[in-house]
Amino acid sequence: MFKKILVANRGEIAVRVIRACQELGVKTVAVYSEADASAPHVREADEAVLVGPPPSSQSYLVGERLIEVAKRVGAEAIHPGYGFLSERAWFARAVREAGLVFIGPPAEAIEAMGSKTAARQLAIAAGVPVVPGNTQGVKDADEAIAIAEEYGFPVLLKAAAGGGGKGMRIVRAREELAGALESARREAKNAFGDDAVYLEKYIEGPRHVEIQVLADGHGNVVHLGERECSVQRRHQKMIEEAPSVAVSPELRARMGATAVAAAKAAGYVNAGTCEFLLDRDGRYYFLEMNTRIQVEHPVTELVMGIDLVQWQIRVASGERLPFAQKDFTPRGWAMECRITSEDPAHGFLPSTGRVEYLHLPSGPGVRWDGGIEAGSEVGLHYDPMLAKLIVHAPTRALAISRMRRALHELTIDGIETSRGFHLRVMDDAEFQSGDISIQWLEQRLHTLTAPIVHRETLRLAAIAAALVAHEERTAGRSAGTSAGGGGANESGAGNTGALARAGGPTWAAVARREALRSS
Ligand code: MV4
């Protein structure tokens, strides 16, 4: 096992990797930008090194500097987390050439999966089902029209170098194809420096289901079942769960075997994820492979009872996987809500400021993977995802109740977050039924983010306001203008207690808890 690992990331995933290292008895070195000097990942690590100014292009993305730091402090390996340098083949190669271990797949596997057309060719050669379409960039509009007519409209134009939806265009009719091809090319060129675009049949209303794989350097590859990731907005996932209501044990075994075949074909080692579209008839199509640990890995950890980040480190140090495929059957249900500094009431606009107060949920089946604390400054330099709230329960319905309970326990003051949005999803009947697709959230967004002011809520708010006003008048009469903090607290507690007794329903309990917490 390694003695010391450099964690080339920030936020919750840096903390997650540090925790895994602590449990393995491995020392950790954090790196940080000037904006992160007092961040939790810096404090939790055994050592920390400043690597540059706030913009990630001058800090977390400067691979050569991170490698230099690793060598200087005597780290033997680098864990890249997700995002940043995690899927840059050149970085994985540079780490290896510096005599260090990259805790992730070989550079060659990153490259093989990095080009979507190359990944499709590799998948087809391995007998992995892909969406009907071509595997080379299209030459021009005439060729694109010929291919589209072979498969039938609608078709989807995709950037060969792409991923994450950039350079994608749905084309529903022949007349639209030339224009769409032009704009897809422009977008692809801008985003990836490569204007190659290919074409697939467009699958309507599928689910996004992905399979976790884990491979060691001795040829052993297992899959750890699926994650359901359909609740997403603009290619940003919001809620993930494991297992998926749409995946039977039989389908899990088939999709799992497919993911293992794709991983083997790519010479894959370490943790990785194969993304699939699952259509309404239960047919599945390989989309791409994510060659990193993913944000949503905890839901798999909870249902499979395995620490994926520890196993990333173990296989990178040369250990063999001790598991057989039959060791992995999902137990219960896990669900994750991404807690972001975005304002759902205003189109998910990024929110910035200081976390003035933070109360974390706990209790049975609740896990918080976070990178913030009270006092943290949330700016615009990095991703708005602050933390993940993950629950585990025996059934999906109980996981939803548990998530609702945990979201109620969570208080984040000072910035807007996605908390309230998640509460509304948990209360949504369609979400509860599990009948969702990748289009579900965007179709439903309006109702999920519209202000809700029921007549009854208004009436209760008016009663509460009257009671508070009365309390203040009474307090003003009995206490002097220099009344101490203790007195004010007592009267506050008594007041909300009275409200809770008077009101009865949940609004009063919620108001009481929130008021007591932030006072
Ligand atoms: C598709 C598709 C429908 N048909 N391909 C989105 C990003 C990239 N990973 C591939 N994506 C899609 N490819 C065909 N032939 C729909 C999507 C898609 C999507 C996929 C997974 C999760 C969310 C999505 C949101 C919009 C579109």
Side-chain angles (χ1 to χ4, degrees):
M1 181 44 65
F2 307 115
K3 292 193 174 61
K4 194 190 271 192
I5 291 174
L6 182 137
V7 183
N9 215 301
R10 66 179 302 281
E12 72 86 17
I13 192 62
V15 174
R16 172 74 188 87
V17 173
I18 291 167
R19 285 174 169 154
C21 289
Q22 286 170 342
E23 293 179 19
L24 288 170
V26 177
K27 295 271 181 246
T28 53
V29 185
V31 292
Y32 64 98
S33 73
E34 284 161 11
D36 282 339
S38 59
H41 80 278
V42 172
R43 203 183 44 246
E44 296 308 318
D46 296 294
E47 293 170 63
V49 180
L50 176 68
V51 291
S56 41
S57 61
Q58 297 172 57
S59 50
Y60 297 106
L61 283 171
V62 187
E64 305 79 11
R65 197 174 305 155
L66 304 184
I67 292 170
E68 241 176 67
V69 170
K71 291 208 293 197
R72 179 153 51 80
V73 300
E76 305 127 287
I78 298 182
H79 195 304
Y82 51 68
F84 292 138
L85 296 164
S86 60
E87 295 184 276
R88 308 283 171 93
W90 65 263
F91 182 67
R93 188 168 282 121
V95 170
R96 186 172 65 197
E97 283 168 1
L100 305 171
V101 176
F102 179 77
I103 302 177
E108 293 72 21
I110 301 177
E111 261 157 6
M113 290 299 183
S115 156
K116 303 309 147 194
T117 42
R120 273 170 72 78
Q121 288 163 27
L122 184 149
I124 292 166
V128 167
V130 297
V131 186
N134 70 333
T135 52
Q136 240 113 53
V138 291
K139 272 203 309 288
D140 51 32
D142 287 341
E143 191 195 18
I145 288 169
I147 300 167
E149 285 182 338
E150 184 186 334
Y151 300 117
F153 288 94
V155 294
L156 188 59
L157 295 170
K158 292 187 174 183
K166 283 225 181 70
M168 265 183 24
R169 291 288 182 284
I170 302 169
V171 184
R172 298 199 175 270
R174 178 197 169 106
E175 313 78 74
E176 297 165 12
L177 194 48
L181 180 60
E182 185 128 339
S183 75
R185 274 204 203 291
R186 217 178 311 117
E187 196 172 309
K189 181 82 187 168
N190 274 333
F192 313 110
D194 177 357
D195 72 354
V197 167
Y198 70 105
L199 194 150
E200 286 178 8
K201 172 93 190 132
Y202 179 62
I203 309 291
E204 306 253 18
R207 289 169 182 266
H208 174 171
V209 174
E210 58 188 30
I211 302 277
Q212 177 72 54
V213 299
L214 185 58
D216 66 19
H218 307 275
N220 302 302
V221 188
V222 289
H223 74 82
L224 288 96
E226 78 282 6
R227 292 186 287 260
E228 165 70 66
C229 304
S230 295
V231 181
Q232 57 84 42
R233 178 186 158 267
R234 299 189 182 172
H235 303 291
Q236 291 298 315
K237 296 165 188 164
M238 306 281 297
I239 298 170
E240 303 97 341
E241 43 188 302
S244 163
V245 296
V247 177
S248 65
E250 179 269 328
L251 180 57
R252 178 173 307 124
R254 279 194 293 132
M255 291 181 79
T258 300
V260 168
K264 285 186 171 163
Y268 205 84
V269 180
N270 216 279
T273 299
C274 292
E275 277 187 20
F276 295 93
L277 293 176
L278 177 62
D279 75 14
R280 293 191 183 127
D281 303 319
R283 281 180 300 237
Y284 63 89
Y285 308 92
F286 172 81
L287 276 184
E288 50 193 84
M289 184 166 187
N290 299 319
T291 56
R292 58 169 191 272
I293 189 77
Q294 287 190 266
V295 172
E296 59 271 28
H297 75 275
V299 293
T300 299
E301 295 188 319
L302 293 176
V303 296
M304 291 300 183
I306 174 178
D307 188 315
L308 278 167
V309 178
Q310 280 192 23
W311 279 107
Q312 283 196 288
I313 297 167
R314 285 177 181 275
V315 299
S317 79
E319 274 189 44
R320 272 172 193 278
L321 293 177
F323 315 111
Q325 187 57 57
K326 64 167 172 45
D327 297 337
F328 295 111
T329 309
R331 223 196 89 255
W333 212 278
M335 196 170 279
E336 170 178 284
C337 288
R338 298 189 182 195
I339 308 299
T340 65
S341 53
E342 294 173 312
D343 184 0
H346 294 99
F348 290 86
L349 207 70
S351 168
T352 60
R354 203 175 114 96
V355 177
E356 299 292 351
Y357 181 84
L358 182 64
H359 176 87
L360 299 185
S362 51
V366 174
R367 168 171 165 182
W368 175 265
D369 276 21
I372 56 157
E373 58 197 356
S376 292
E377 287 287 343
V378 177
L380 291 172
H381 287 294
Y382 312 110
D383 192 272
M385 200 191 77
L386 307 175
K388 295 151 358 190
L389 177 56
I390 312 118
V391 300
H392 188 209
T395 65
R396 186 168 187 270
L398 291 169
I400 292 173
S401 304
R402 183 158 277 173
M403 182 63 85
R404 188 189 290 109
R405 185 269 291 175
L407 286 164
H408 274 299
E409 277 186 34
L410 171 65
T411 306
I412 305 176
D413 286 340
I415 50 169
E416 298 298 329
T417 73
S418 54
R419 189 196 82 129
F421 164 80
H422 287 304
L423 273 168
R424 286 175 70 172
V425 176
M426 294 305 129
D427 285 338
D428 185 277
E430 227 165 60
F431 177 77
Q432 289 169 0
S433 79
D435 184 17
I436 48 173
S437 76
I438 58 175
Q439 270 114 45
W440 180 77
L441 181 54
E442 271 166 278
Q443 283 164 0
R444 197 111 186 121
L445 207 53
H446 184 74
T447 38
L448 285 168
T449 56
I452 22 169
V453 187
H454 296 302
R455 281 166 59 90
E456 181 62 5
T457 308
L458 271 177
R459 198 178 72 86
L460 294 171
I463 295 170
L467 287 169
V468 168
H470 173 74
E471 179 75 18
E472 280 173 355
R473 270 200 307 275
T474 321
R477 230 180 280 133
S478 58
T481 45
S482 60
N489 271 339
E490 251 172 58
S491 104
N495 181 36
T496 45
L499 286 183
R501 278 193 302 279
T506 50
W507 70 270
V510 171
R512 175 172 184 275
R513 195 157 59 218
E514 301 266 335
L516 287 175
R517 251 192 228 139
S518 37
S519 62

